[in-house]
Every structure is written in C-alpha cells, then in structure tokens.
Amino acid sequence: MMETELIEAYYVPESIKLTDFRQESIQVKGRKYIVKYPELTAEHIEEIGASLQANRKDYLAQLSTNEVVDKIDQAIQLWLNPNYRLRRIADALIPAVTGYDQDMVRLELKRYMRTFRKKELLRFLDEEFDQPAILDDFRPRKSGGMSRAYGPNTIFHLFSGNVPGVQLWSLIMGLLLKSAAIGKTSYSEPLLPALFLQSLKEVDERLADAIAILPWKGGTESLDNMAVNWGEAVIVYGSNKTVAEIRKKTPIHKKLLSYGHKISFAMIGKEALTADHYSDTLHKLAEDISIYDQQSCLSPQCVYVEQDGVVSPKQFAQGLAAELSRYHKKRPRAKLTGEEAMSIQNFRNEHSLKSLQSQNTAVYSSKDDTAWTVIYHEEPSFSGSPLNRSVHVYAVDRLEEVADHFQQWESYLQSCGLAVEPARLFSLANILGAAGVNRFSPIGEMNRAKPGWHHDGGFNLMELVRMVDLERDLEYGLEKYDSDVE
C-alpha cells in the first residue's frame, strides 16, 4: 500500500481554527502526498490578522533584532541538513508542483537557504543601517541627537509563484523589522513559505505565530482588499498588471514596495572569448539562462557578444545553442502551458522569416519541441524574450556602445552579467548604471543575488521603516530639569 502524508499548504497561528478545505493528491516516487488548501473568506483574514497583531505585540515586538536573527538562523540550520524532514518534502513536492527539474530545485534551494544564515543576515542589517540596534532603541547620530527606526506593525506580502524561495526573502525582511505578516501565496508554488514557517515553529512557536501563509486565487477582491487594509505596508511581487491593481487598492499613506516585470542581460567581452575562456563562458551563461527557465527577473534575456574574439558572435550563438541543448538533457525544462508554447513558436516564426530575408538573423532551436531557442542578430538592439530558455544574442563592435539601445527600456532594466577584463568594469558599470541597470554580477551567478543587494535599485528595510528623531537641542535643554543639576 502506498504511504500517504498530509501537507498543509498554509500556516496560521495556533489559535486559529479553519474548517473548510480542499485537497490535492500528488504522487512522487511511490509516495502519495495530500496537499491541503484552506477555503478562505474576508472574515477569516480579519480574524487571522487580529491574532497576528496580538502575537506581535505580546512577543515579537519585545525581541531584540539579534534575538530574531538567532531564531531565523536556527530554522535555517534545520534546512541545511539534507535529511531534514521538511527539506525532503520540499525537494519532492516543489518540482512536482512547479514542473522544474528536481536536481535544479534541490541545488538552488540549498544555495538559497545559505543566504539566510546568521552571518549573512548580520551583513544585510549592517548594509542597511549604520547601527542595526537602531531597530531596538534610540541610537546616537553623528550629527547629534538620537534616532530610532520602527518597522510597520503589519505587512501584507503578495507573492508570485514563478521562482521558489523569493517569498522567504520578503518574510524574513518583515521579521527583522518585527512586523506581523500575512503572506498571500500563489497556487503555482504555495509550499515553501508554509514549510519554512513550520520549521520556524519548531524553533519558536510564538515567533512563527506572528506570520500567516495563505494561498488564494489572485484577484479575489474581498480577500485582497481585506489584506491590503490590514497591512500598514504592502509588498507585491508579480506582473506589472498585478502591481498596478494592488497599487490602486493601497491608500496613499501606506508604504508600498512593488517588484514587477524586469529584464536582465549579459555582456561578453572579447577577452572572455579566448581559447582558454570561451567554453567556460558558454557553460556558465547557459546555466544563467536555464535556472528556473528564466522566470526570475535576474535571468538574462539578451546577450551582447563583442567582435574580434577567438570565436565570432555568431559562433558564440551556435555554441550557446549546443550548451543549452546539453543542459536540457541534464535538467529538462518544465512543461509549458499551450499559451507559453505558442508564444515561443511565434517568437521563432517571426525571426525565421527575418532569417529568410537577411543573413543578419539566424535561428538556432531545439527540434520537435520548444525546449530552447537562440536568436542571433548581426545588428545590436534590445528586446525581451518569451522566457523558458529563449534568448537573443546580439553582435557588437564595442560593449561600451550598447547603452544607446536601452533608452526606452530604462524602467525595465534589472541585472547585467559581465565577462570582461577588470580594466573595463567601472567604465561599463558607469555607462550602464546611468542607463538604468541596478545590479552587476559575474556570468554564472546572475540568478543568485547576495543579501543586501539593492533590489530594483532601492533599499530593502530602509524603504519600510519610520524614523523617529530626538534633536540634539532637546537633549541639552532637558538637562535643566534634572533635580541634581549643578
């Protein structure tokens, strides 16, 4: 008889008793998982929100930032054990739910969890605040006086489901600010946040009970409105349409952080196309394109390849196609919806027609399926792709001249992966930074942003806090009221 395990794709405080659920059965390697989803109403959100606020006031708000960091680190240490029960469930179920390759999920999840260890969180706090203790008490300012930073009492997080793990980053930010949180997850990946809260509960149930993880269908007005009204701050991830809809619902006095559609690209200098380097460059770039099938805004959709290397830009495009083919055999791409597959077919057809009309365009793609697609362009430009391992390769004379093609895309630019000699780093960073790029990384690391990076060019915690100042003159002025004054 097949072994069965019940998995709750949600998390609520112990005091909340939900009664209506639907279930989904998933079989993975001879084991049956019953995934349980709550049927929610606006009244549930109201009740859960009140419980979270009470739990925050009574416990989370009383902890020091270092205590919060220590507890998060203890939960992360559980996940770094490959035999940890919840990690094994995540390794099995997330690929089954998302369609991503199992080995890819396992490796990327392991790498991702490491970014939340104590030492990384302390670096993150130091990056945002000169004195992280400013989140606990008033601290002296260099200019005189004292200041304290207060996080929002409550945060509503609205997550997309295209990249596993992004939700944890947002939730942990809220914990560091001592904020109660409701995290709205997508049905396309509702599991990891709920599993992480279960592990946090193992470390400290009272801390975990300041957060609720709740999946519901996007665009459910009654639930969205109740959650937005509950949150003192709102953080939304997703399409530009989703961001625009939530922005309309969020009152002007509330803090809103939004992370919508962005495009990243890579730049390959001729010095990375020597006989010693070009093979490794191709391998790393194919990994950047293939991890989570370009669903992350950090993954490149365009590649600019400089002339005068050992291999030409066109040869590089052909080599990239071969590398993507090898990667697909090792870690196959997720199955697509009919709409996604049609988008790639249209992408190929459009450029195949151009290739018949001019030698300036060439199409290299997988046969009999849409597993990967490389479009080579002799003339540089800038364009997004339909994702799912589809990429443009543009030939350029000099990388420093590419920024002219970005002018109308400034608000969409995200990361740039660089493979150039050190002497060119700052000149390119200055040119591309002025054009709108907000993050640079080495090829092969584009999908692995480090703690403390300025997401979409802004701060993280600093964007959410409210600063309270004690002026220097007040400190001195109050001295005269000291009963023991000279």
Side-chain angles (χ1 to χ4, degrees):
M1 184 176 178
M2 185 178 295
E3 191 173 353
T4 301
E5 185 167 1
L6 180 66
I7 305 296
E8 295 178 343
Y10 66 95
Y11 185 90
V12 294
E14 189 68 28
S15 61
I16 300 297
K17 305 303 178 185
L18 300 175
T19 57
D20 297 324
F21 300 92
R22 70 175 181 85
Q23 295 182 345
E24 177 182 348
S25 176
I26 301 175
Q27 293 185 22
V28 181
K29 293 184 177 179
R31 189 178 184 88
K32 184 177 181 180
Y33 296 91
I34 305 297
V35 183
K36 189 176 178 182
Y37 299 90
E39 299 285 358
L40 298 166
T41 65
E43 288 72 24
H44 286 131
I45 303 297
E46 185 176 25
E47 180 188 6
I48 292 167
S51 177
L52 296 174
Q53 285 181 282
N55 293 341
R56 175 202 172 271
K57 181 180 179 181
D58 293 341
Y59 186 68
L60 174 56
Q62 311 305 319
L63 297 175
S64 71
T65 303
N66 281 339
E67 287 174 322
V68 175
V69 167
D70 283 339
K71 293 174 188 298
I72 294 170
D73 179 68
Q74 290 174 46
I76 291 298
Q77 293 301 325
L78 296 175
W79 282 82
L80 298 183
N81 176 1
N83 295 316
Y84 178 50
R85 184 182 69 87
L86 296 181
R87 175 172 163 181
R88 295 181 70 173
I89 291 172
D91 287 345
L93 278 183
I94 291 176
V97 171
T98 63
Y100 292 133
D101 176 76
Q102 188 169 28
D103 284 340
M104 179 194 299
V105 170
R106 178 178 56 80
L107 291 170
E108 292 304 314
L109 184 58
K110 178 175 67 175
R111 288 170 176 147
Y112 190 64
M113 285 298 187
R114 288 173 179 166
T115 66
F116 300 115
R117 290 176 293 185
K118 181 176 180 177
K119 62 179 181 178
E120 305 299 345
L121 293 180
L122 293 176
R123 287 192 181 103
F124 172 47
L125 286 164
D126 284 344
E127 184 75 24
E128 296 266 325
F129 301 101
D130 288 338
Q131 304 178 78
I134 201 171
L135 292 165
D136 302 326
D137 204 351
F138 284 93
R139 305 298 299 167
R141 294 201 313 269
K142 295 182 178 69
S143 60
M146 305 183 80
S147 294
R148 180 172 178 178
Y150 289 86
N153 290 330
T154 55
I155 301 176
F156 172 45
H157 306 258
L158 194 153
F159 301 122
S160 61
N162 52 353
V163 180
V166 171
Q167 310 97 325
L168 300 191
W169 173 247
S170 196
L171 292 171
I172 287 173
M173 279 203 315
L175 282 174
L176 294 175
L177 295 178
K178 307 175 194 176
S179 303
I182 291 176
K184 185 266 179 202
T185 53
S186 164
Y187 284 125
S188 59
E189 205 299 87
L191 295 171
L192 187 57
L195 294 174
F196 179 73
L197 261 293
Q198 290 179 35
S199 59
L200 193 61
K201 180 179 180 178
E202 293 177 21
V203 171
D204 187 337
E205 182 175 344
R206 297 185 72 187
L207 178 62
D209 280 358
I211 299 177
I213 301 299
L214 300 170
W216 70 77
K217 185 178 179 181
T220 305
E221 290 284 327
S222 61
L223 302 183
D224 288 351
N225 290 340
M226 183 63 75
V228 168
N229 290 336
W230 176 81
E232 286 186 13
V234 177
I235 304 177
V236 53
Y237 299 79
S239 67
N240 287 352
K241 179 181 177 183
T242 298
V243 169
E245 289 173 351
I246 296 300
R247 182 173 282 124
K248 289 178 185 176
K249 299 175 187 216
T250 306
I252 190 69
H253 66 276
K254 294 193 176 190
K255 292 181 182 290
L256 172 67
L257 296 188
S258 59
Y259 302 105
H261 178 61
K262 296 290 182 179
I263 301 176
S264 296
F265 60 92
M267 286 189 158
I268 312 299
K270 58 187 178 184
E271 54 270 24
L273 300 176
T274 64
D276 291 338
H277 293 304
Y278 82 87
S279 179
D280 184 56
T281 302
L282 284 168
H283 176 77
K284 290 180 176 179
L285 183 60
E287 186 171 24
D288 282 335
I289 294 166
S290 299
I291 288 177
Y292 293 137
D293 302 344
Q294 293 175 297
Q295 297 300 311
S296 167
C297 62
L298 305 178
S299 187
Q301 298 181 44
C302 300
V303 184
Y304 296 91
V305 183
E306 210 166 42
Q307 303 276 15
D308 299 326
V310 169
V311 296
S312 69
K314 190 169 187 176
Q315 290 171 323
F316 185 89
Q318 293 167 337
L320 180 59
E323 198 66 41
L324 287 172
S325 177
R326 281 192 288 271
Y327 198 96
H328 177 67
K329 291 175 183 176
K330 181 173 67 172
R331 292 178 188 154
R333 192 201 58 194
K335 292 181 180 179
L336 304 186
T337 64
E339 183 179 359
E340 289 171 325
M342 182 59 68
S343 178
I344 294 175
Q345 288 291 3
N346 291 339
F347 178 65
R348 291 179 174 185
N349 293 340
E350 175 190 351
H351 292 93
S352 292
L353 181 60
K354 290 180 180 179
S355 71
L356 295 175
Q357 298 168 342
S358 169
Q359 294 183 347
N360 290 339
T361 302
V363 178
Y364 308 106
S365 60
S366 55
K367 307 300 181 186
D368 304 321
D369 59 24
T370 59
W372 52 267
T373 307
V374 178
I375 309 297
Y376 171 73
H377 307 264
E378 195 73 32
E379 299 295 330
S381 184
F382 184 83
S383 181
S385 82
L387 309 182
N388 295 300
R389 306 187 184 182
S390 301
V391 66
H392 296 274
V393 174
Y394 294 103
V396 297
D397 292 327
R398 295 182 68 249
L399 296 178
E400 286 79 2
E401 298 169 355
V402 171
D404 292 341
H405 300 283
F406 297 159
Q407 291 179 1
Q408 62 179 319
W409 300 95
E410 179 178 354
S411 62
Y412 292 95
L413 297 182
Q414 171 59 273
S415 295
C416 173
L418 281 177
V420 297
E421 64 178 347
R424 303 176 70 181
L425 171 59
F426 289 106
S427 62
L428 278 169
N430 281 317
I431 292 169
L432 298 173
V437 176
N438 57 69
R439 172 179 171 262
F440 295 88
S441 79
I443 299 298
E445 295 291 326
M446 291 189 66
N447 289 285
R448 298 166 188 146
K450 303 299 185 288
W453 77 294
H454 297 98
H455 196 167
D456 289 358
F459 285 90
N460 298 285
L461 303 179
M462 283 290 292
E463 297 281 357
L464 292 167
V465 300
R466 174 175 57 89
M467 301 299 297
V468 177
D469 296 333
L470 299 179
E471 293 192 355
R472 178 175 54 184
D473 292 346
L474 175 64
E475 290 184 75
Y476 297 147
L478 294 183
E479 293 291 341
K480 65 184 178 183
Y481 301 116
D482 186 345
S483 59
D484 194 35
V485 68
E486 295 83 354

